[in-house]
Amino acid sequence: MASPSEEPPLAEDGWCEPPLDTNQEQSEPPMSKNKLKKLLRDQKWEEGREKRREIRRIKAKAKKERKRAVGDNNTLIDPTSEKRKASTEPDIPASKKPRPAKSVLLPISIVIDCDFDDLMLDGERTSLASQVTRSYSENNKASFKSHLFVSSFGGHLKQRFDTVLAGHHHSWTGVKFLESDFEAAADQAAEVMKTDRRGRLAGAFEKTRDKQVTSTSGEVVYLTSDSPETLTELKPYSTYIIGGIVDKNRHKGICYKRAMDRGIKTAKLPIGDYMKMTSRFVLATNHVVEIMLRWLEVGEWAKAFMEAIPQRKGGVLKALNQPSETKTQEQETDSGAVEQEQEDEGAALNNNAHMLSVSDHAAEAPGYHEGQQP
């Protein structure tokens, strides 16, 4: 046996491996092949960010030039066309052009509870980040919008927003990201709805103007499909909590248990009362937010479901005049099957399209369940 001071023997090619650091091996386990591949893929994606941005810029410029060329050709072929007439009219000053209707803020709050970071895989966190982004976009462009909070914002989810999504959420308006949990977020929402920034009673809340509705008449409700209670309407000055977890049904009933342990009221959306599905029903977090926003606009669950639930789900409205016994049986069949969804990532936001340019990196995994999947 060679003494510690002797040189390690050379291999036939004249090269010898350096001595192993046993302490380093114990403290840093070797990286798996899958994790190494993912790390290299992420690095390659980041390195190509500027190139992708330049490609998008070139494509946008080419698209504008094509539209301009088509317009010029139409003008030459048909000088008397409406386009020609429009082109000869004096330009309307930008200040006098009709502006899109401004969103009306209502005294109601939605909290996305993201305190499940340790229970999700990397792909599921990517999906949740996309769903939070889309939820913000839907609320921001809705005709009647709510106060929006993202609670327990930290860990890998926050890291993704700060790095891959380039920290664009810092410029978002009408939403608050909080490190505290959903109860603290609900308390903060209640305080906001007591101030002049609470919003006004409009949209579906218009009918409550004549009633004695005050900032103290609201409630806090955790939406979960495991709840025995069914939500009949959204109430002014109330806060509704949605469980922000993507877990492919591994953690059943976690949101319901979480709410019950805190003494928070629970309820489920009345999907089974209005919709009949040809297959197993699934929803994403942003779909539930969109359903609530549509209800704030039209005040009817049936319309809200039909407008917000993707057509590919195959959902149809139930006959409202069916016998109560049959309706009850269908409710038992349909109302408890809410899970997560596999959803395409990369849709452009109306005024935040640049925020989703990086979301093409990964396909979105299953998303929202009504607070928690069954």
Side-chain angles (χ1 to χ4, degrees):
M1 180 181 295
S3 61
S5 60
E6 293 181 359
E7 295 283 339
L10 294 176
E12 293 181 358
D13 56 359
W15 182 87
C16 65
E17 294 185 359
L20 297 177
D21 187 347
T22 56
N23 295 331
Q24 183 177 0
E25 283 187 343
Q26 294 176 358
S27 59
E28 298 180 6
M31 185 178 298
S32 65
K33 290 184 178 180
N34 290 336
K35 193 169 184 180
L36 180 59
K37 288 180 180 179
K38 182 180 182 302
L39 180 61
L40 295 176
R41 185 172 64 247
D42 292 344
Q43 290 176 352
K44 186 176 180 180
W45 175 265
E46 289 300 321
E47 292 171 357
R49 182 186 297 274
E50 291 300 326
K51 184 177 180 180
R52 293 193 302 274
R53 185 175 299 172
E54 182 63 23
I55 292 175
R56 289 194 300 271
R57 189 181 297 112
I58 294 174
K59 287 184 177 180
K61 184 177 180 180
K63 185 176 180 180
K64 289 182 180 179
E65 291 178 352
R66 288 196 300 270
K67 287 185 177 180
R68 189 181 299 112
V70 171
D72 293 342
N73 292 336
N74 289 342
T75 300
L76 294 175
I77 294 173
D78 187 6
T80 61
S81 65
E82 291 298 325
K83 292 184 179 181
R84 176 64 178 172
K85 293 179 181 179
S87 64
T88 59
E89 293 178 357
D91 294 336
I92 302 175
S95 59
K96 294 184 179 181
K97 290 183 179 180
R99 297 180 179 179
K102 187 177 181 181
S103 297
V104 178
L105 179 63
L106 305 185
I108 185 174
S109 299
I110 296 176
V111 176
I112 301 178
D113 178 16
C114 298
D115 195 15
F116 307 96
D117 194 72
D118 295 336
L119 302 179
M120 295 183 289
L121 305 177
D122 289 342
E124 294 167 345
R125 298 186 189 101
T126 299
S127 177
L128 179 61
S130 176
Q131 292 175 21
V132 171
T133 300
R134 295 185 182 205
S135 297
Y136 163 75
S137 177
E138 290 295 336
N139 188 60
N140 193 48
K141 68 182 181 182
S143 300
F144 299 93
K145 62 182 181 181
S146 72
H147 298 273
L148 184 62
F149 296 83
V150 180
S151 64
S152 300
F153 184 65
H156 294 86
L157 180 64
K158 183 177 184 299
Q159 183 180 6
R160 177 171 177 81
F161 270 90
D162 290 336
T163 56
V164 179
L165 299 182
H168 289 300
H169 65 289
H170 294 298
S171 62
W172 293 0
T173 59
V175 59
K176 290 188 177 181
F177 292 85
L178 306 174
E179 295 182 1
S180 51
D181 64 6
F182 68 92
E183 280 190 294
D187 292 339
Q188 187 166 338
E191 293 300 321
V192 171
M193 289 187 290
K194 293 178 182 178
T195 66
D196 296 337
R197 297 178 287 116
R198 61 181 175 272
R200 59 189 180 90
L201 297 174
F205 289 162
E206 185 78 31
K207 59 186 178 182
T208 63
R209 283 180 173 272
D210 298 334
K211 301 179 182 179
Q212 295 182 351
V213 179
T214 63
S215 58
T216 59
S217 59
E219 58 184 358
V220 178
V221 181
Y222 205 124
L223 297 180
T224 166
S225 61
D226 297 301
S227 175
E229 304 296 330
T230 300
L231 196 66
T232 57
E233 63 177 354
L234 302 179
K235 298 180 180 180
Y237 302 103
S238 295
T239 299
Y240 297 92
I241 305 165
I242 302 172
I245 178 174
V246 181
D247 63 350
K248 296 183 180 179
N249 207 26
R250 293 192 305 273
H251 306 284
K252 296 182 179 181
I254 186 172
C255 287
Y256 179 70
K257 183 178 184 301
R258 181 174 170 81
M260 295 302 293
D261 290 344
R262 305 286 189 93
I264 302 296
K265 180 180 179 180
T266 64
K268 60 188 175 187
L269 294 178
I271 301 175
D273 295 351
Y274 294 91
M275 300 293 293
K276 185 176 181 179
M277 310 305 298
T278 57
S279 61
R280 199 173 187 185
F281 192 69
V282 290
L283 285 178
T285 305
N286 51 291
H287 286 154
V288 175
V289 172
E290 187 177 354
I291 288 172
M292 298 174 70
L293 294 174
R294 293 296 174 271
W295 190 95
L296 293 176
E297 181 179 355
V298 301
E300 297 181 18
W301 287 118
K303 288 184 178 180
F305 291 144
M306 291 303 296
E307 292 181 12
I309 295 177
Q311 294 182 357
R312 64 179 181 272
K313 305 304 178 186
V316 295
L317 288 176
K318 291 183 178 180
L320 299 181
N321 57 351
Q322 61 184 335
S324 58
E325 181 179 354
T326 303
K327 183 175 180 181
T328 301
Q329 293 176 354
E330 291 182 349
Q331 287 179 11
E332 294 175 353
T333 302
D334 296 335
S335 62
V338 182
E339 293 181 345
Q340 310 170 73
E341 129 170 58
Q342 184 73 28
E343 186 176 349
D344 297 330
E345 188 170 345
L349 303 179
N350 62 327
N351 61 344
N352 300 283
H354 60 289
M355 292 187 298
L356 287 181
S357 63
V358 294
S359 64
D360 297 330
H361 182 204
E364 183 178 351
Y368 176 77
H369 34 76
E370 260 181 59
Q372 168 60 25
Q373 38 191 344

